[in-house]
Amino acid sequence: MIAFVSGRVAAAGPDGAVIDVHGVGLSVQCTPATLAGLRVGDPAHVPTSLVVREDSLTLFGFADDDERTVFELLQTASGIGPRLALAMLAVHTPNALRRAVAAEDVTALTKVPGIGKKGAQRIVLELRDRLGGPIGGADEVRAPARAEAWREQVQMGLVNLGWSARDAGAAVDAVAADLDGAEAPPVAALLKSALKKLSK
């Protein structure tokens, strides 16, 4: 297994990045929150999990080792493949998932696109003993973006993904207008909304 990759970020897109490791470009699929922390041209150390299929080898990258561990545990539940596991980590932090499963919080789990009520109940049943409780007292959910601080994070994420500062700024303004003073959701969700604005 490839436990991590270290090198310069050669490119970044909406769902992944390319890390240049001694002249070899490794494509890594990541959550929006992980991607927001990668800047093209900067060095990066990304914990990874290699998923082997008959017709493909796919490398998934994470913000830290705990996220990777939870990603691999999630796939031990029936019906959860790597894409769905990554989607779960895009919506919830590892501790939020542990808490949701431990508390049998089906509503929290169904916030993930692709997971219905029955699927959430199966996840609770199969993963309750494997995931365990929250670790280290960290935030239980992806931290909501504070006041206007999210604007800079989302704009930086968009610029890292190759958009011009002007286009990124316009997308951030459009997302802010949609919020209309309401409390901002997590940065990962805001980044997704901004990407939708830019893809129109």
Side-chain angles (χ1 to χ4, degrees), residues 25-49:
L26 295 177
S27 178
V28 185
Q29 303 293 302
C30 307
T31 64
T34 303
L35 280 172
L38 301 176
R39 282 188 157 209
V40 174
D42 282 0
H45 176 91
V46 183
T48 56
S49 178

Side-chain angles (χ1 to χ4, degrees), residues 106 110 115-124:
V106 170
T110 55
I115 296 181
K117 189 175 179 184
K118 284 186 179 175
Q121 289 168 337
R122 188 175 63 245
I123 288 165
V124 166

Side-chain angles (χ1 to χ4, degrees), residues 8 18 22-23 28 31 43 48 53 60 65 68 73 76 80 89 116 133 150 152-153 158 163 167 184-185 190 197:
R8 291 204 172 274
V18 176
H22 301 299
V28 185
T31 64
T48 56
R53 294 282 184 266
F60 291 87
D65 291 332
R68 178 185 61 201
L73 279 171
T76 63
I80 296 191
L89 285 164
W150 66 267
E152 187 180 338
Q153 289 175 280
L158 292 171
W163 299 96
D167 287 345
L190 291 163
K197 301 277 184 197

